Amino acid sequence: MRPEDLALLHVPGSVTLHEDLILVDVARPDLEADAYRGGLWRLPQDGPPVQFTFGDHDSSPRISPDGAWVAFLRAQDGGRPQLHVMPTGGGEARPLTDLPLGAGVPVWAPDSRRIAFVARVPEAGRYGTEEDVSAAAEAPRRITGFRYRHDGVGFTLDRWPALFVVNALADIPQPVRLTDGPYEVASPSWTPDGEHVLVSADRDLDGESLHSDLYAVPAGGGAPIPVVRSAGSAGLPVALPGGDVLYLGTAFSGIHAVARNTGLFRAPLRIGGEPATGVRLTEEESVDIEPLPPIATEDGVLVAVRVRGAVELRLAPSDTPETPLEKLPLVLGERAGVKTFTSYGDQVVAVVSTPESPGEVVTPAGTLTDFNGSPAGRRPLQEITAVSADGYPVHGWLALPEGEGPYPVLLNVHGGPFHHHGWGFLDETQVYAAAGYAVVLPNPRGSSGYGQAHGQAAIGAFGTVDVDDVLALLDAALARPECDGERVGVMGGSYGGFMTSWLAAHHGERFKAAWSERAVNAWDSFTGSSDIGWFFAEAYCGPDIEVQRAMSPLYHADRIDLPFAVVHSEEDWRCPVEQAQRMFVALRRNGTPAEFLLFPGEGHELSRSGRPRHRLQRFEAVLEWWSRHLS
């Protein structure tokens, strides 16, 4: 895969199913327009997919319970996504919303008329709501709490999300706002009688809380009613016909919300009275569920579970507490990454990514689509294992180019750290392997999908066991004849950028050069500058400022003497640009051959969902850097 082949990727997103009708949205990067394009596709029972809608960018289809309508989001001419509806038999799409900041994913009521959704509502006078007043001319923001902005969104204190309901079949649809408060509300789901909408919202409706609970919002209007008090967080509720509710959640106290496995919970749904407490149905240590809505079936509950680099669709029990991973039957997704899924009756359909494909629509019986064609030229992943310095087992992957080696090697560390490299498609791996590099992808302690203890092992230990694990897997790869141990580079983003900076400072003799992207370099300033820094730094590193600095690559920058690329985005609020600026200045003052590549208008997610042209330019810069230093 070459950098310009980004334009050839067709990425399926949401899939929806009713009887024999399957609809899926498919997006692609358009390099010429510098935008993402795509529409909805219908998957016939036999024959190839047929395009169903033709907007600039249509997404998030949802078929009504009676099968007559499909609601979806449409973004036209670079505008915000707005809610539309059209007959499932085809026809004109009808707009239901025209909101300043766009609408969220539609959720049908049982009556197949009303739709619930969440949308951010701008404060009066902001975000274009006052004619002829530009953003630079708006009044100052008065900030009184920690949670006032979010990467990829911007400021949030003046555009809190609200729950809406709209009658999709009304002559003149009028969205009705049901919540109004300075707190986060998310993941709406209807009760079976259609009288209430369940949502996840901040505990006590306090926009400062890290904890979230479940609330029932009267569909006809009224204050949110607390129905479930979580053990830490609760989201993606699903009301059951018998009067209970399923949801996904984590257990934690205070600010210690990091590296916690997400589980499936069940609680009685009592609207009024004291909120219920949920029972965890999946074992906390072994089961970590991807944040995708669970689906209750006659046989159990479908959930997507992170397992050693895969995201597998598994069947969890609906009433048995603390069920371990080995007792959750696999439905589909082995050695793959389930991105979304749905079911109807006994049918199950999912969008699944593999190392060679960004996604296809599959069922347990086989693959239904071929949006991305033959994987010829795309490189498979090989599992590799190692033993760390203290005897701990380490797992990861190696992608090799075509032809004979030995190849120069790129050690690519993932972000998170509670994330993982895995069996899903990663365009970076394919581009680097096609350019002639062996790519090493480690999942050190701190990663997800290997048990909660594995994820929490990096807490208070950055730069120790995680480094040992990464180097052990690198050594396992370098022991192979295809890998050239004399030409090794290190790279990564976010936590992977932290690891790149740390390795360059403490093990620089092992590498020819480093590419550190959107990195955490200084935990002390991260605390005050990152959108999550006010709790994240202390949760991982502890409250002692000297300990935080000891774990910060910036304070070891004087040890770095290899060529070093500092790469960042101007509007990154997760790892703010000051993290890059401070590191670049420190390196240059020390005489290190450092370069600073700064992308305008992008946030933390540049490499995954940034402007298509910036993604292309980034790939070109990466390959140019390594051609200079590993040739």
Side-chain angles (χ1 to χ4, degrees):
M1 177 178 169
R2 300 163 301 173
E4 58 269 27
D5 290 342
L6 279 171
L8 304 180
L9 299 180
H10 291 74
V11 184
S14 299
V15 63
T16 184
L17 167 68
H18 185 277
E19 295 182 349
D20 60 353
L21 176 62
I22 303 173
L23 296 174
V24 62
D25 64 62
V26 182
R28 63 177 180 84
D30 185 332
L31 293 173
E32 183 175 344
D34 199 21
Y36 292 89
R37 306 295 193 193
L40 309 186
W41 290 73
R42 180 171 58 85
L43 307 185
Q45 291 296 302
D46 49 10
V50 177
Q51 191 160 355
F52 188 71
T53 67
F54 297 86
D56 284 350
H57 192 181
D58 297 340
S59 64
S60 305
R62 299 293 187 271
I63 300 173
S64 61
D66 64 4
W69 305 94
V70 56
F72 61 97
L73 297 177
R74 168 167 288 176
Q76 291 285 85
D77 301 320
R80 305 280 187 171
Q82 303 291 347
L83 189 57
H84 286 65
V85 68
M86 64 182 288
T88 52
E92 287 291 323
R94 182 186 185 207
L96 301 180
T97 64
D98 185 18
L99 299 172
L101 301 181
V105 176
V107 181
W108 284 100
D111 61 13
S112 295
R113 296 182 62 88
R114 294 168 296 163
I115 295 174
F117 63 94
V118 170
R120 290 192 177 272
V121 180
E123 186 178 282
R126 297 199 186 276
Y127 305 105
T129 57
E130 186 173 345
E131 191 174 353
D132 298 326
V133 177
S134 67
E138 292 177 356
R141 294 176 171 89
R142 186 179 300 276
I143 298 168
T144 59
F146 295 123
R147 291 174 61 182
Y148 62 92
R149 58 180 183 157
H150 197 275
D151 184 74
V153 176
F155 288 99
T156 56
L157 81 166
D158 50 17
R159 46 176 165 180
W160 290 100
L163 175 67
F164 289 81
V165 167
V166 61
N167 185 345
L169 306 188
D171 291 337
I172 303 178
Q174 295 289 337
V176 177
R177 182 176 176 176
L178 297 183
T179 62
D180 182 13
Y183 52 85
E184 294 285 334
V185 59
S187 55
S189 174
W190 290 86
T191 55
D193 60 9
E195 294 295 316
H196 293 83
V197 182
L198 303 181
V199 295
S200 169
D202 295 329
R203 175 158 297 170
D204 301 324
L205 303 182
D206 175 5
E208 287 295 285
S209 180
L210 282 175
H211 299 268
S212 57
D213 297 322
L214 299 185
Y215 294 79
V217 181
I225 303 164
V227 291
V228 172
R229 190 170 181 90
S230 74
S233 69
L236 298 169
V238 176
L240 300 175
D244 284 359
V245 60
L246 299 169
Y247 63 94
L248 301 186
T250 59
F252 65 89
S253 60
I255 64 168
H256 301 289
V258 299
R260 302 285 176 174
N261 277 356
T262 297
L264 176 67
F265 290 76
R266 180 169 181 158
L269 180 57
R270 299 186 295 264
I271 300 177
E274 288 296 314
T277 300
V279 173
R280 191 169 191 140
L281 301 180
T282 54
E283 183 184 70
E284 184 174 18
E285 170 56 31
S286 63
V287 181
D288 185 20
I289 299 177
E290 192 81 357
L292 297 172
I295 296 178
T297 71
E298 291 185 358
D299 299 321
V301 184
L302 292 170
V303 289
V305 183
R306 298 170 178 172
V307 184
R308 292 179 62 83
V311 179
E312 300 175 341
L313 189 60
R314 294 197 174 221
L315 193 65
S318 60
D319 54 8
T320 304
E322 294 292 335
T323 307
L325 178 66
E326 62 267 20
K327 293 189 177 180
L328 306 184
L330 177 67
V331 178
L332 54 80
E334 186 176 15
R335 294 197 170 199
V338 172
K339 297 170 62 179
T340 59
F341 62 92
T342 190
S343 75
Y344 183 88
D346 59 358
Q347 302 177 76
V348 176
V349 178
V351 173
V352 177
S353 171
T354 66
E356 295 86 12
S357 170
E360 300 293 347
V361 181
V362 306
T363 71
T367 302
L368 302 181
T369 62
D370 187 23
F371 288 120
N372 289 281
S374 168
R378 298 184 192 140
R379 304 304 298 153
L381 293 182
Q382 303 177 28
E383 284 185 278
I384 55 175
T385 59
V387 177
S388 196
D390 60 357
Y392 192 85
V394 189
H395 179 237
W397 286 266
L398 175 66
L400 295 173
E402 291 188 79
E404 295 184 4
Y407 317 103
V409 176
L410 295 180
L411 172 64
N412 191 357
V413 185
H414 66 69
F418 196 56
H419 191 52
H420 61 264
H421 281 308
W423 291 109
F425 182 79
L426 182 62
D427 55 5
E428 295 198 38
T429 300
Q430 296 300 330
V431 168
Y432 305 153
Y437 299 98
V439 186
V440 181
L441 304 165
N443 279 343
R445 273 169 279 190
S447 305
S448 61
Y450 297 82
Q452 185 164 275
H454 182 92
Q456 293 192 324
I459 294 176
F462 284 149
T464 60
V465 295
D466 51 351
V467 168
D468 290 342
D469 291 357
V470 166
L471 293 179
L473 203 75
L474 174 62
D475 285 337
L478 295 180
R480 301 180 56 148
E482 300 95 332
C483 297
D484 185 350
E486 298 300 316
R487 293 184 293 162
V488 182
V490 59
M491 66 184 302
S494 196
Y495 166 76
F498 158 89
M499 181 64 76
T500 298
S501 302
W502 188 274
L503 288 172
H506 294 85
H507 301 276
E509 74 284 352
R510 302 196 55 159
F511 306 101
K512 293 293 186 183
W515 176 280
S516 180
E517 191 165 0
R518 60 184 185 276
V520 180
N521 288 311
W523 291 108
D524 51 359
S525 60
F526 181 89
T527 298
S529 62
S530 169
D531 60 349
I532 61 172
W534 59 276
F535 75 91
F536 192 88
E538 183 175 336
Y540 263 112
C541 303
D544 188 295
I545 196 70
E546 293 306 320
V547 172
Q548 291 186 12
R549 288 173 176 166
M551 292 186 191
S552 298
L554 177 70
Y555 295 97
H556 306 275
D558 59 329
R559 304 183 182 188
I560 299 176
D561 57 10
L562 73 167
F564 196 100
V566 178
V567 187
H568 224 90
S569 297
E570 288 183 359
E571 297 179 13
D572 188 337
W573 285 4
R574 181 58 41 84
C575 296
V577 70
E578 58 88 14
Q579 295 281 312
Q581 293 165 328
R582 295 182 73 192
M583 176 60 87
F584 177 67
V585 169
L587 293 172
R588 294 293 293 186
R589 291 184 68 178
N590 292 338
T592 301
E595 299 178 14
F596 189 9
L597 187 64
L598 185 60
F599 286 88
E602 297 287 357
H604 197 64
E605 297 299 309
L606 162 63
S607 65
R608 294 172 281 257
S609 57
R611 298 175 72 96
R613 287 180 190 165
H614 278 159
R615 291 177 64 189
L616 172 62
Q617 290 162 353
R618 173 187 170 273
F619 269 141
E620 292 171 340
V622 170
L623 296 182
E624 190 277 333
W625 175 262
W626 292 123
S627 71
R628 267 193 278 156
H629 298 292
L630 294 184
S631 59

